[in-house]
């Protein structure tokens, strides 16, 4: 079993829909990152969380440390949001970053 | 525009050869980490350097090695290349211990081993 699991693996939605991507992890962590990767490889860091909730524009990220779970929400989704979204956790007491397998999001006009 | 630059962007090597990939960290960032991303997979942590010393390593063999220079730029070296080394290699920098240690990624170097 992977230390970081994301769901769903693939998600297709219509423009304007509310999107939720989930991340569960099984290890102690010091931080959790949400990343966005567009075709061609470039990765953009969206959020880093250690507790609570963060919001940036139409993106909201939450984390529940007790349940070892995080969610990334996109409100009023747009085709330009189409990308792979990756959850990554920094293992507590270590420098290692462990990544989920990613969620491929496609937003159709 | 990203503050982390990687070179080369693409390269092709043959089995058994050696490769050096380069990464210039974002200004003010003293920690750099390298990742291997095979096609369709999430990135895998290779190692991390802080102030020119390796301070974390993933499950990669010793033929994967690195360097960090005084200006915090970094190299990833892979010896005795194998077909399975074909992947996108990403580096990321951050300021160690800063309150919000956001990672800044480079665009990656895509290595093909024939």
């Amino acid at each position: 079993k992977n230390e970081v699991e994301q769901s769903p693996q693939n998600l297709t939605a219509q423009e304007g829909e509310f999107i939720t991507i989930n991340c569960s992890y099984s290890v102690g962590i010091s931080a959790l990152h949400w990343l966005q990767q567009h075709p061609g490889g470039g990765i953009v860091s969206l959020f880093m969380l250690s507790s609570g909730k963060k919001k940036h524009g139409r993106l909201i990220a939450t984390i529940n440390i007790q349940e070892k779970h995080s969610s990334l929400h996109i409100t009023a989704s747009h085709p330009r949001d189409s990308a792979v979204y990756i959850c990554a956790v920094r293992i507590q007491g270590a420098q290692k970053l462990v990544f989920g397998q990613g969620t491929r999001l496609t937003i159709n006009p | 525009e990203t503050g982390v630059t990687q070179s080369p962007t693409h390269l092709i090597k043959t089995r058994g050869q050696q490769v050096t990939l380069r990464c210039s960290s974002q200004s003010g960032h003293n920690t750099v980490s390298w990742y291997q991303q095979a096609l369709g997979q999430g990135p895998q942590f290779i190692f991390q350097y802080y102030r020119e010393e390796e301070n974390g390593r993933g499950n990669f063999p010793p033929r994967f090695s690195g360097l960090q220079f005084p200006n915090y730029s970094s190299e990833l070296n892979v010896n005795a290349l194998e077909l399975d080394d074909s992947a996108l290699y990403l580096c990321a920098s951050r300021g160690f211990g800063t309150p919000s240690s956001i990672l800044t990624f480079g665009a990656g170097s895509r290595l093909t081993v024939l």
Side-chain angles (χ1 to χ4, degrees), chain A residues 37 43 45 90 95 97 99, chain B residues 35 37 43 48 55 94 103:
Chain A
Q37 186 171 32
I43 291 182
S45 183
R90 187 167 301 280
Q95 301 306 324
L97 202 63
F99 293 75
Chain B
Y35 306 88
Q37 187 177 24
Q48 177 173 285
N55 70 343
R94 67 185 178 104
L103 291 168

Side-chain angles (χ1 to χ4, degrees), chain A residues 33 35 37 40-48 54 86 90 95-102 104, chain B residues 35 37 41-45 48 55-56 59 88 90 94 96 99-103 105-107 110:
Chain A
H33 296 259
L35 310 168
Q37 186 171 32
I43 291 182
V44 175
S45 183
L46 299 174
F47 295 103
M48 191 204 69
K54 286 190 177 179
I86 303 171
R90 187 167 301 280
Q95 301 306 324
K96 185 178 179 180
L97 202 63
V98 179
F99 293 75
Q101 77 276 31
R104 183 173 298 278
Chain B
Y35 306 88
Q37 187 177 24
Q41 306 289 319
Q44 299 285 322
F45 174 74
Q48 177 173 285
N55 70 343
N59 297 325
L88 179 70
L90 295 156
R94 67 185 178 104
F96 190 86
S100 58
S101 294
I102 292 286
L103 291 168
F105 282 84
R110 189 167 296 281

